[in-house]
Amino acid sequence: MSGTLVLVRHGQSEWNLKNLFTGWRDVDLTEQGNAEALAAGEKLKARGLKFDIAYTSALKRAQKTCQHILDVVGQGDLKTIRDQALNERDYGDLSGLNKDDARKKWGEEQVHIWRRSYDIAPPGGESLKDTGARVWPYYLHDVQPHVLRGETVLVAAHGNSLRALIMALDGKSGEEIVKLELGTGVPVIYKLNADSTVASKDVLEG
C-alpha cells in the first residue's frame, strides 16, 4: 500500500515582496500569494487528489495557503492541524531586516553564509540543521503514519521547513539541500511505499 504526501510552500508573502527576512514573523500573503495558493489548488484538483488530513504551521501565510488549496479541491472543512514545528526557519536578529541592509551591516559574505550554509545560524536564530531537528521528528511522529496507512496528506509550510523534509525524503546532503529552490505555491507530490521509501516524486511547476 502506498500513500501520498503533498508538500506546498506558501504563496508569496508581504515580506517576500519587500525582500525582508521573515522567519517566525507572522505576515500575510500578497494578492499574488493568494493567487499562487489558489493555482496550487487547481493543479492538485486537476490530478484528482483528495486529502485525508492536512498539516500547516502556526503562521498565517502557510495557514491561508493550506485553506485556499482545500477550498479549491472542495475540502474546505477538512481536519487541519497547525503546529509551530512546521514554522519557517527562525532568522533571529535578521528578522524584519531588508536583505540588502543586512548585507551592508554584516557584509555580503557573512549574510550569504547565514542564508546558504546548512549548519551556521544567524545571531539568535536557527540554521537549516536546527530547523530540521524540529521538523523531521514531527513528521515521523505525526505526519508519516498517515501516509504509510495509504492516506493522502497535505503539508503547507515554508521554504526551509520543507527543505528539511525534502532533504530526508530525497537523501540529499546539507550542501545539496541549501541549493534547492522551492517555488512559492508549487506542489511537490511524493508517493511513499509502505516501508517509507520514496516510490515517485512529481513537481507541479508551470
Side-chain angles (χ1 to χ4, degrees), residues 107-206:
E108 184 154 352
E109 184 177 352
Q110 182 62 68
V111 172
H112 180 76
I113 289 169
W114 286 330
R115 290 189 68 197
R116 292 303 181 191
S117 66
Y118 174 62
D119 56 3
I120 300 175
E126 294 178 308
S127 66
L128 181 55
K129 183 178 181 181
D130 296 329
T131 306
R134 60 175 163 81
V135 172
W136 187 243
Y138 180 76
Y139 168 78
L140 289 175
H141 184 267
D142 292 79
V143 182
Q144 183 176 263
H146 289 279
V147 185
L148 298 186
R149 286 198 293 268
E151 297 178 15
T152 300
V153 180
L154 172 64
V155 177
H158 306 264
N160 284 298
S161 53
L162 293 179
R163 275 191 186 94
L165 275 183
I166 290 169
M167 177 181 177
L169 290 167
D170 290 3
K172 291 184 177 293
S173 68
E175 189 174 295
E176 290 172 323
I177 200 62
V178 294
K179 297 175 184 175
L180 175 70
E181 293 296 335
L182 281 175
T184 50
V186 176
V188 181
I189 304 173
Y190 284 93
K191 287 281 189 181
L192 296 189
N193 297 314
D195 63 359
S196 80
T197 57
V198 175
S200 66
K201 177 183 178 182
D202 194 6
V203 183
L204 304 188
E205 293 181 296

Side-chain angles (χ1 to χ4, degrees), residues 30-49:
T30 61
E31 185 175 339
Q32 178 181 323
N34 284 298
E36 288 171 345
L38 292 167
E42 292 292 350
K43 291 173 187 175
L44 295 168
K45 182 180 180 181
R47 290 292 182 99
L49 284 173

Side-chain angles (χ1 to χ4, degrees), residues 7-164:
L7 309 179
V8 185
R9 181 186 174 192
H10 64 78
Q12 182 193 64
S13 75
E14 292 170 346
W15 282 16
N16 290 147
L17 181 62
K18 294 177 180 177
N19 199 34
L20 305 179
F21 286 100
T22 312
W24 283 42
R25 300 289 181 88
D26 201 12
V27 302
D28 211 340
L29 296 176
T30 61
E31 185 175 339
Q32 178 181 323
N34 284 298
E36 288 171 345
L38 292 167
E42 292 292 350
K43 291 173 187 175
L44 295 168
K45 182 180 180 181
R47 290 292 182 99
L49 284 173
K50 289 289 184 182
F51 298 102
D52 294 289
I53 193 168
Y55 290 87
T56 188
S57 75
L59 301 170
K60 62 188 172 187
R61 59 192 186 274
Q63 293 171 6
K64 285 193 172 183
T65 297
C66 187
Q67 192 60 52
H68 282 323
I69 291 169
L70 293 177
D71 286 342
V72 171
V73 300
Q75 293 185 281
D77 58 352
L78 184 73
K79 180 179 180 181
T80 301
I81 297 172
R82 301 173 175 180
D83 198 289
Q84 68 179 22
L86 295 173
N87 277 16
E88 176 59 294
R89 172 185 171 191
D90 184 353
Y91 279 104
D93 293 353
L94 299 182
S95 299
L97 291 181
N98 182 283
K99 291 171 184 175
D100 293 331
D101 291 340
R103 292 184 186 101
K104 290 175 186 174
K105 181 173 181 178
W106 284 289
E108 184 154 352
E109 184 177 352
Q110 182 62 68
V111 172
H112 180 76
I113 289 169
W114 286 330
R115 290 189 68 197
R116 292 303 181 191
S117 66
Y118 174 62
D119 56 3
I120 300 175
E126 294 178 308
S127 66
L128 181 55
K129 183 178 181 181
D130 296 329
T131 306
R134 60 175 163 81
V135 172
W136 187 243
Y138 180 76
Y139 168 78
L140 289 175
H141 184 267
D142 292 79
V143 182
Q144 183 176 263
H146 289 279
V147 185
L148 298 186
R149 286 198 293 268
E151 297 178 15
T152 300
V153 180
L154 172 64
V155 177
H158 306 264
N160 284 298
S161 53
L162 293 179
R163 275 191 186 94

